[in-house]
Amino acid sequence: MSTVAEVNARVDALSANADQIWILLCGFLVFWMHAGFAMLEAGSVRRKNTINILFKNVGTIAISAIMFFFLGYPFAYGDLGRENDFIGSGDYALYESQNDNKHNWFFQFAFAATASTILSGAIAGRAKLEIYFFACMIITAFIYPVVVHWVWSPQGWLSAFKTDRTRVIGHGADENACGFIDYAGSGVVHLTGGVSGLIGALFVGARTGRWENPSLFSGHNYPLCAIGVLILWFGWYGFNCGSTLAFDGAIASKVAVTTTLSPSSACLTGMLVQLFMTRAFEGKWTWDLVNALNCVLAGLVSITAGCSVVHDWHAIFIGMFGAVIYMGASALMVKVHVDDPVDAVAVHGFCGMWGCLAVGMFAEPSEIVNAYSLCTDANGNRNGVQFGVQLAGVLSIIAWVGTTVTILFLFMRLVFGELRVSEEEEEAGLDASEHGANAYEADIAAKGSDMEMQRKASGVDKKAAAENEKDV
C-alpha cells in the first residue's frame, strides 16, 4: 500500500510530465508558424524572388537553432548563481540542463526564430543572402536573448516575475504596479523583429523602381498569402496559450478566447475601413484581401502582450485599434519611402508597441494576479503606473534593438561591402542570380517559348533580307 508521500510524488511526476508535453505541443505549433511565414512572404514578394525568400525562411530555422543552443538560451536564461539584470550566463549548449528541462529550450528556440524571420521579409527582394544570414546569427545569439532576459527571466530588470521587493521597475512608494507585462511577446518578439526590420530596410534601401512604378511590386500569389496567414493564426494559439509555461487549462482557455477575438475584430475593422476608403478616394466599393490578412496579423500581435490579463471583451477593442494602427503605419511607411515588401514594420513593430501599451490601459488587477502570481499588489489599469512601466519597457526595447542592429549593419557594410545585390541581379530576380533556378515551371516554359519565337523571328528576318538582296 502506497504512503501519502509516495502518492504525492507520483502526482508531482505526472504534473511535471503534463507540463513538459504541453509546452512541447505548443512549441510544435510555434515551429509550424514558420511554414506560415514562408508562405506569406513568398506570396508577398515578386515571383522572381520566391525561391530566395523560401530559402531564407528555411535557413532562419537552422541558424536560430544552432545559435540559440550555444549562446542565445544561456544569455536569455542562464543562471550562474548570481543575479544579473542585463544578461544571463551559464548552461551553454544545455550542458547543465537535465532532460526534464529541455522542453523549455525548444519552446524558446521557436520564439527566437520568429523574431529573426521578421527581418527577412522587410529586406526581401534586394538584400544579399549572406547579409541576412549573418544578421540572423547575431540577432538570435545576442540581440534578442538580451531582451528575453530583461522581460522573461526572473533576474531581468524589466521582469514581472520578480518579487515586489526585488523589482527594478514597477515597485516604489505606491507598490501598485507589476513589472513589464508582455505575456507572449508583443514587445520581446514582435517589436524586436519590427525594429530590426525597420533598420534593415533603411540600410538596404528600396527595391529599384519601387517608388517610380509601385504597381509592379505587388505580391504575386494571393492564395499563398491567405494560407500563410491562416497557418500563422493557428500557430498563434501555441504561441500565446503555450506561454502559460505549465499545463494550466484555465489560463490557456482564457488566452485562446482573447487570441480569437482580437484578430477577428481587427480583420472586420480593416475590411470595413478599407472598403469605405476606396469608396471615398476611388469612387467604388472594393474589398482588399491583403489588407484584411495583415489586419488579422495586426490583431494577433496586438493581443499577444495582454492576452492573459485583459477581459475577454477588451480584446475586441485592442484588435480594432490594432487594425487602424497597422493601416496608418503602413501608409506612413509608403509616405516616407521605406520599402517593406511584407509590411513587417507596420504589423510587428507598430502593433507590437500598441500591444504592450494596451496592457497599461486594459489590464485588470484580478487577471494580472491569475497570470502573474508575484504581482499581488498590481493595480493594472486603475491608475497610470502600469502604463508608465509598459512605456518604459517599449522605449528600452526600441533603444536596445535600434542601437545594436544599427551597429550590426554598419559592421556588415564594413566587412561585406555592399549590402544588396547589383541592379542587374535584382532585375533578373534573386531566384536566378543567387539560386540559379526558377520557382515556377510556367516561367521556364515561357522563357523557352520566347527564345523559340526569337529564333523563328531571326530566321524570318534573315530569309527576308536574303530575298531583298536577291531582288536588288
Side-chain angles (χ1 to χ4, degrees):
M1 186 174 185
S2 300
T3 65
V4 173
E6 290 173 337
V7 171
N8 288 338
R10 290 175 185 172
V11 170
D12 290 342
L14 287 173
S15 177
N17 282 329
D19 291 344
Q20 293 163 28
I21 296 299
W22 167 249
I23 296 302
L24 285 173
L25 291 174
C26 290
F28 299 153
L29 286 177
V30 179
F31 186 96
W32 177 236
M33 289 175 68
H34 291 283
F37 278 119
M39 289 187 177
L40 173 60
E41 292 180 7
S44 298
V45 300
R46 302 176 76 180
R47 63 188 297 128
K48 62 185 179 181
N49 299 319
T50 305
I51 292 175
N52 183 258
I53 199 67
L54 293 173
F55 196 85
K56 285 179 178 176
N57 276 269
V58 174
T60 297
I61 298 171
I63 291 171
S64 299
I66 301 301
M67 300 309 296
F68 204 68
F69 177 71
F70 284 107
L71 295 173
Y73 190 74
F75 288 158
Y77 293 103
D79 178 9
L80 287 180
R82 62 179 184 275
E83 292 219 1
N84 188 320
D85 292 334
F86 181 77
I87 191 171
S89 180
D91 201 14
Y92 294 94
L94 299 181
Y95 182 76
E96 300 166 19
S97 287
Q98 301 299 316
N99 287 343
D100 60 2
N101 187 50
K102 292 180 180 178
H103 60 290
N104 287 321
W105 176 88
F106 177 78
F107 187 70
Q108 297 299 335
F109 136 72
F111 273 57
T114 300
S116 184
T117 202
I118 294 169
L119 171 63
S120 70
I123 60 175
R126 72 276 201 198
K128 289 182 177 179
L129 193 60
E130 59 267 28
I131 292 298
Y132 169 69
F133 280 164
F134 187 82
C136 177
M137 290 172 57
I138 304 305
I139 290 171
T140 52
F142 178 63
I143 296 173
Y144 168 77
V146 168
V147 180
V148 173
H149 185 79
W150 290 358
V151 180
W152 288 338
S153 168
Q155 299 179 2
W157 71 276
L158 280 171
S159 180
F161 297 101
K162 286 177 173 286
T163 61
D164 57 355
R165 298 293 176 184
T166 61
R167 288 182 207 143
V168 177
I169 190 169
H171 174 76
D174 295 329
E175 299 186 12
N176 55 9
C178 198
F180 182 70
I181 295 176
D182 185 5
Y183 194 73
S186 289
V188 175
V189 179
H190 297 283
L191 181 55
T192 295
V195 174
S196 300
L198 176 60
I199 301 299
L202 291 173
F203 268 94
V204 174
R207 291 166 289 176
T208 303
R210 170 66 177 90
W211 308 117
E212 292 76 18
N213 299 291
S215 61
L216 299 178
F217 291 85
S218 299
H220 79 280
N221 194 317
Y222 288 173
L224 274 183
C225 292
I227 294 171
V229 169
L230 290 172
I231 289 175
L232 285 169
W233 193 344
F234 177 67
W236 225 287
Y237 291 111
F239 205 89
N240 286 4
C241 297
S243 292
T244 55
L245 300 180
F247 195 47
D248 189 330
I251 295 180
S253 298
K254 175 189 177 46
V255 170
V257 171
T258 55
T259 304
T260 302
L261 293 176
S262 180
S264 297
S265 66
C267 180
L268 294 175
T269 301
M271 285 179 177
L272 294 175
V273 170
Q274 185 66 36
L275 181 67
F276 285 101
M277 286 179 63
T278 54
R279 175 63 178 173
F281 295 105
E282 299 176 12
K284 57 183 179 180
W285 302 101
T286 303
W287 299 92
D288 190 326
L289 173 64
V290 173
N291 181 71
L293 294 174
N294 280 333
C295 284
V296 168
L297 297 179
L300 288 166
V301 173
S302 298
I303 197 60
T304 296
C307 56
S308 64
V309 298
V310 301
H311 284 324
D312 297 345
W313 62 274
H314 286 165
I316 296 174
F317 291 100
I318 291 173
M320 291 172 62
F321 283 114
V324 174
I325 289 169
Y326 154 70
M327 294 177 69
S330 179
L332 176 63
M333 292 296 101
V334 174
K335 183 71 174 179
V336 299
H337 283 193
V338 174
D339 185 13
D340 181 0
V342 300
D343 264 346
V345 177
V347 169
H348 300 279
F350 281 85
C351 292
M353 282 190 286
W354 161 241
C356 294
L357 296 178
V359 170
M361 301 168 63
F362 292 99
E364 288 292 325
S366 60
E367 302 289 1
I368 293 176
V369 173
N370 287 337
Y372 294 88
S373 59
L374 296 178
C375 291
T376 55
D377 56 350
N379 282 342
N381 61 2
R382 297 292 187 265
N383 54 41
V385 178
Q386 189 65 52
F387 183 85
V389 173
Q390 299 299 118
L391 179 61
V394 166
L395 294 177
S396 299
I397 293 172
I398 292 173
W400 166 254
V401 178
T403 301
T404 52
V405 174
T406 297
I407 294 172
L408 171 61
F409 272 88
L410 288 172
F411 175 80
M412 290 192 296
R413 178 183 287 174
L414 178 66
V415 174
F416 295 102
E418 288 293 329
L419 299 176
R420 57 187 294 158
V421 299
S422 66
E423 285 192 21
E424 292 77 15
E425 291 173 320
E426 184 181 347
E427 178 61 29
L430 301 188
D431 290 359
S433 62
E434 295 211 319
H435 304 279
N438 198 297
Y440 298 97
E441 290 185 4
D443 290 347
I444 299 173
K447 287 182 180 179
S449 178
D450 289 344
M451 292 175 67
E452 184 64 25
M453 291 176 64
Q454 290 173 5
R455 283 196 294 270
K456 289 180 179 179
S458 176
V460 170
D461 290 343
K462 288 179 180 178
K463 184 177 180 181
E467 290 178 352
N468 288 336
E469 289 180 4
K470 185 177 180 180
D471 292 339
V472 173

